[in-house]
Amino acid sequence: MSKVNVRYIVNDVAAAIPFYTDILNFKVEMHPAPGFANLSRGDLQLLLNRPGAGGAGQAMGDGQSPAPAAGTESRSKSRILKRRSIS
């Protein structure tokens, strides 16, 4: 199987990394700047971008700028806190 690349937009890349590494067992391949991280798990490569950083700065087909999905970060942080309190 070939690698699959997914770009995911988050407001705080550094805060999102522990969710993917601690909970979902991703590995940090590269985190060269506050607005970008490259994570991997098997054949999946996850590119985390802050809005406006790197590829996340390019307008979409309808002219809108990429942005995180509403409420996704607060749900992720809540899951991390619950998981850590259970462990």
Side-chain angles (χ1 to χ4, degrees):
M1 181 178 181
S2 61
K3 281 204 176 235
V4 174
N5 297 309
V6 175
R7 184 176 308 275
Y8 194 68
I9 312 300
V10 296
N11 284 321
D12 188 339
V13 172
I17 290 173
F19 173 75
Y20 291 98
T21 57
D22 297 347
I23 306 297
L24 300 177
N25 297 318
F26 277 78
K27 175 184 169 195
V28 177
E29 298 293 340
M30 179 180 11
H31 185 206
F36 175 77
N38 178 354
L39 310 178
S40 68
R41 182 173 178 200
D43 289 330
L44 175 59
Q45 183 177 36
L46 181 63
L47 307 172
L48 297 176
N49 275 102
R50 183 177 61 209
Q58 300 174 8
M60 297 184 290
D62 63 1
Q64 292 184 353
S65 295
T72 54
E73 290 184 41
S74 61
R75 286 195 306 258
S76 295
K77 288 176 186 175
S78 173
R79 288 183 191 132
I80 291 170
L81 293 173
K82 286 179 184 175
R83 172 93 180 226
R84 287 184 181 165
S85 66
I86 293 170
S87 304

